[in-house]
DNA sequence: GCCGCGAATGCAATATTATTGCATGAAAGT
DNA sequence: ACTTTCATGCAATAATATTGCATTCGCGGC
């Protein structure tokens, strides 16, 4: 993992739809060498996957919410159970067990408030283990990067 | 945007490294038609970009933190100023202005606690507008999807 | 300091894959 | 029923990725 690999990763994290030749040019390598490096980064798992990122607004998922959840019972079993429940929800983009006053933070991507309402009904009110939850609706997205800083 | 487009989007959101022929096969179209659809989704902006997703652990960014921030002064100017400050930080993966008791939520990706310490020093302590901030370290990542549910 | 070893490189040939022209067929409106 | 429009599949073509091979580079042992 030298300087060129890092350069490749930075480029691919922002745009992986480039041709190998274009990529090679940007890092100053021949296409074959460049390709071999990229494939090595893939094979070693440094590059986990290549995916398409959609525009949320254009597919009717313009509403984002961050919800922190406090569970009634904090044991491992209950925690796992709740996380599994959350994981199964399509609206849940990210689910984390965290330190601090609350136990879990969820990041949701929804169509509208009706969908949020239905989500809460399903995940928080039902026969679950939730003591309280605190909702923060996203007003403005200043940054939303999939890229890691190297 | 019919059923097939949605199928394509779902597939591409999980793996965009497939060949067009493989993709065509999965949705039951000829390669040429399939490609034309994908290109249309690109051109219309539904697919915003195609990117490589790295394994955080393998590039030394194994620590994740969620920080909610309350500003001293809540005006538009101050808000924008703080968000710009946050945006400029490489460790900040996501930055949101939100409703609720706090004003901003940051999601950080860091190497270790030292980096977190340095980050706080820089962003929260300095001559900034921060009244208080509340840190939640991520213990377990149950879900971390870039894909939107369609 | 020199030698030898393994890994990385670039070139060129080859194999894969994407892309386009074209003709056909289906659906919507007149 | 007729026209227009648009999506489709096929086949030819263009672009791109991939591999074999000879060369060079960097590095540790001698």
């Amino acid at each position: 993992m030298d300087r060129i690999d890092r350069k490749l990763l930075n480029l691919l994290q922002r745009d992986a739809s480039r041709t190998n030749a274009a990529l090679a040019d940007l890092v100053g390598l021949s296409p074959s060498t460049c390709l071999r490096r990229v494939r090595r980064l893939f094979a070693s798992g440094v590059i986990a996957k290549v995916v398409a990122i959609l525009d949320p607004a254009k597919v009717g998922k313009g509403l984002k919410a961050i919800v922190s959840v406090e569970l009634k019972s904090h044991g491992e079993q209950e925690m796992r159970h709740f996380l599994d429940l959350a994981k199964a929800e399509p609206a849940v983009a990210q689910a984390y067990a965290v330190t601090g006053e609350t136990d879990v933070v969820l990041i949701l991507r929804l169509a509208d408030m009706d969908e949020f309402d239905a989500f809460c009904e399903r995940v928080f009110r039902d026969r679950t283990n939730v003591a309280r939850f605190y909702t923060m609706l996203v007003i403005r997205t200043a940054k939303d990067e999939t890229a890691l800083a190297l």
Side-chain angles (χ1 to χ4, degrees), chain A:
Chain A
M1 267 269 284
D2 59 2
R3 206 180 53 83
I4 294 182
D5 277 347
R6 260 183 292 277
K7 210 165 170 182
L8 282 172
L9 291 175
N10 272 322
L11 288 166
L12 289 173
Q13 282 190 112
R14 308 198 192 292
D15 181 6
S17 69
R18 272 181 277 245
T19 66
N20 178 56
L23 200 62
D25 200 55
L26 285 170
V27 299
L29 287 179
S30 75
S32 63
T33 302
C34 179
L35 182 67
R36 273 188 281 248
R37 277 179 180 258
V38 173
R39 289 177 71 83
R40 183 154 46 88
L41 290 168
F42 238 113
S44 67
V46 173
I47 297 178
K49 54 185 175 174
V50 174
V51 302
I53 303 292
L54 308 190
D55 180 336
K58 295 217 168 143
V59 293
K61 254 63 169 79
L63 182 62
K64 226 174 303 183
I66 302 172
V67 185
S68 72
V69 182
E70 187 187 337
L71 299 180
K72 282 180 198 147
S73 170
H74 302 245
E76 167 63 18
Q77 290 306 318
E78 290 87 349
M79 169 65 83
R80 197 200 313 273
H81 181 265
F82 180 75
L83 288 178
D84 285 346
L85 184 70
K87 211 178 344 183
E89 286 285 335
V92 174
Q94 300 166 51
Y96 301 115
V98 298
T99 64
E101 286 177 17
T102 59
D103 301 299
V104 173
V105 172
L106 304 177
I107 297 195
L108 309 180
R109 294 189 166 268
L110 305 143
D112 50 37
M113 276 301 182
D114 283 354
E115 204 174 306
F116 182 61
D117 184 36
F119 175 86
C120 292
E121 205 58 45
R122 209 163 340 114
V123 177
F124 299 137
R125 302 244 192 270
D126 268 359
R127 67 217 173 284
T128 62
N129 184 28
V130 175
R132 76 185 66 243
F133 68 97
Y134 185 70
T135 301
M136 299 149 103
L137 296 174
V138 171
I139 300 170
R140 190 189 308 173
T141 300
K143 193 173 185 179
D144 193 351
E145 276 284 354
T146 53
L148 296 172
L150 304 180

